[in-house]
Amino acid sequence: MLVNGKHYRTIWLNKNDEKIVSIIDQTKLPHSFETLDLRTVEDFRCAIKDMTVRGAGLIGATAGYGMYIAALEAKNENFDDDIKKSGEILAATRPTAKNLSWAVERQIKKICDNNLSCDEKRKIAKAEAEAIANEDAEFCRKIGENGLEIIREISKKKNGKTVNILTHCNAGWLAFTDYGSALSPIYAAKNAGIDIHVWVDETRPRNQGASLTAWELGQEKVAHHLIADNCGGHLMQHGLVDMAIVGADRVSLGGDAANKIGTYLKALAAKDNNVPFYVAFPSSTFDFEIFDGVKEIPIEERGSEEVRIMSGKNKDGKVCEVQICPDSTPAKNWGFDVTPARLITKLITERGVFEPSKEAILKIYPI
């Protein structure tokens, strides 16, 4: 997608040295656009753990490239063992997003399940990393096409008047390699000439809506307003939301969806006000080994400093951090919650739009 009119992906092989992987440093947005080079498995571990990269699809793509770098680092005499150890390190960085372990396992299978030479395995690791990233972008493009039809129908019912869409957190191209999941249909709708407007939840405590989604929409010239996290229900009560669409970090076989903390409350408000609530994600986000998402999806608990301390630009234009609570006040910080399938109108993936049920999922994704 676009940054100051120039196309970027969120992660790419460095053109000058293919032993280096470059990323957009998302911790610097929205006040500064900077890129960062990753050279070692430890660099990748830190980038995922510290949320320099974040978002389910991008975490998966980053892990895929990290396994390529692991292949470059692996000793010939212990090649497969070294690869698997690096995979364990990367997979342990964040527990909720299924795409992470999915990408690591996919790379291990490709790299290790053969009798090829170490040099050939390194070539396979590179090709598979590129394939994971390209597949992620293509699946997100198709999500946009499938979700566009939903927005188009709402626009027709409103006789071309503005379609107001609420989203939570960031599930745009910054969360994937390109296009995004929840934002992909929005971009497709804008490109189709549909009049749209987006309500952007701030998404505390890390403010991904305020710092990332709002920045993305501004770059793509999509009309939007930033709102406080607790404003969504009020807007729905007064008919100011036509649909809600969010991303997901893991989706169970039963259709339950884990997403950024606060998503569940938006789904409850949507249900109470008859606002359709959609979850968009690529198939790599499915966890077919889990049925009850509320009980079984692991929920990441992050450091208390993310709740106690906020970052922003002061009146002098400098980015700084401020503490928002008393010195002695502790904090708890769950990163995700799970929206039960009963609150979800439809799931949107690269294969279509369908009910959040085991029967519908298995029809689209037979396993």
Side-chain angles (χ1 to χ4, degrees):
M1 302 297 280
L2 299 178
V3 179
N4 299 322
K6 180 182 176 181
H7 179 264
Y8 274 87
R9 278 192 173 186
T10 51
I11 188 167
W12 62 95
L13 280 177
N14 190 293
K15 291 180 179 179
N16 299 318
D17 186 347
E18 291 193 343
K19 294 181 180 179
I20 298 173
V21 177
S22 299
I23 59 171
I24 295 171
D25 186 347
Q26 297 192 29
T27 63
K28 299 295 193 297
L29 291 171
H31 307 300
S32 176
F33 177 79
E34 299 178 22
T35 62
L36 186 66
D37 291 338
L38 307 181
R39 294 177 167 84
T40 67
V41 171
E42 176 62 13
D43 288 344
F44 280 85
R45 186 195 70 81
C46 292
I48 297 171
K49 184 69 176 177
D50 298 340
M51 294 180 70
T52 310
V53 295
R54 27 71 52 210
L58 179 54
I59 289 173
T62 303
Y65 278 114
M67 293 300 288
Y68 159 58
I69 297 301
L72 297 181
E73 291 184 355
K75 303 278 194 259
N76 285 3
E77 56 270 23
N78 298 302
F79 190 89
D80 286 2
D81 286 343
D82 286 353
I83 287 292
K84 291 173 183 177
K85 287 177 183 177
S86 293
E88 290 174 0
I89 290 169
L90 293 174
T93 50
R94 300 194 66 191
T96 301
K98 176 61 179 176
N99 309 62
L100 174 57
S101 60
W102 169 85
V104 169
E105 291 164 6
R106 175 169 163 173
Q107 276 282 41
I108 289 175
K109 186 174 182 179
K110 279 283 185 176
I111 298 167
C112 299
D113 289 359
N114 58 65
N115 294 316
L116 299 174
S117 69
C118 294
D119 286 342
E120 286 297 321
K121 290 184 176 189
R122 292 184 178 101
K123 291 178 182 177
I124 288 173
K126 176 186 172 185
E128 195 65 15
E130 293 277 77
I132 290 170
N134 290 336
E135 183 181 285
D136 183 72
E138 177 60 13
F139 281 7
C140 285
R141 184 188 67 79
K142 290 180 177 178
I143 288 170
E145 290 180 349
N146 295 331
L148 167 60
E149 298 310 310
I150 297 170
I151 300 173
R152 197 191 303 276
E153 285 302 309
I154 295 174
S155 178
K156 287 180 180 177
K157 290 179 181 178
K158 295 188 72 174
N159 296 315
K161 292 182 180 178
T162 304
V163 178
N164 288 297
I165 304 169
L166 182 138
T167 191
H168 186 71
C169 196
N170 174 257
W173 70 272
L174 284 167
F176 295 83
T177 57
D178 210 343
Y179 296 98
S181 59
L183 294 193
S184 188
I186 291 171
Y187 294 139
K190 177 183 180 296
N191 292 336
I194 298 173
D195 187 358
I196 54 173
H197 168 266
V198 182
W199 298 112
V200 181
D201 284 348
E202 58 194 346
T203 327
R204 293 188 180 183
R206 290 190 66 97
N207 298 312
Q208 295 101 320
S211 60
L212 303 179
T213 298
W215 180 81
E216 270 195 48
L217 294 174
Q219 292 291 325
E220 298 292 332
K221 297 181 172 52
V222 175
H224 64 282
H225 282 90
L226 177 65
I227 57 172
D229 279 352
N230 290 328
C231 190
H234 167 77
L235 296 177
M236 294 181 199
Q237 280 184 328
H238 292 274
L240 296 174
V241 180
D242 296 304
M243 64 177 288
I245 183 169
V246 300
D249 289 80
R250 190 183 298 236
V251 178
S252 74
L253 182 57
D256 307 320
N259 193 51
K260 186 56 59 182
I261 195 79
T263 303
Y264 172 48
L265 295 179
K266 294 301 184 298
L268 284 171
K271 188 74 169 181
D272 192 53
N273 290 281
N274 297 312
V275 173
F277 189 93
Y278 297 92
V279 180
F281 58 96
S283 56
S284 53
T285 303
F286 267 123
D287 188 338
F288 295 113
E289 296 180 357
I290 285 177
F291 179 80
D292 188 330
V294 175
K295 292 181 179 179
E296 298 179 81
I297 293 177
I299 299 300
E300 177 181 5
E301 186 170 357
R302 297 184 59 81
S304 63
E305 69 281 356
E306 292 181 353
V307 176
R308 301 180 73 254
I309 298 171
M310 295 184 68
S311 174
K313 186 188 290 186
N314 65 20
K315 63 181 180 180
D316 297 322
K318 295 181 179 179
V319 177
C320 59
E321 293 184 340
V322 295
Q323 182 177 302
I324 63 171
C325 62
D327 290 344
S328 60
T329 298
K332 299 288 284 184
N333 182 17
W334 288 276
F336 303 87
D337 58 25
V338 177
T339 299
R342 61 184 170 80
L343 300 178
I344 299 170
T345 305
K346 293 283 181 67
L347 304 177
I348 308 171
T349 75
E350 76 280 358
R351 295 193 186 182
V353 181
F354 47 92
E355 299 287 338
S357 68
K358 179 180 178 179
E359 294 74 21
I361 292 169
L362 288 178
K363 186 176 180 180
I364 303 294
Y365 295 92
I367 55 175

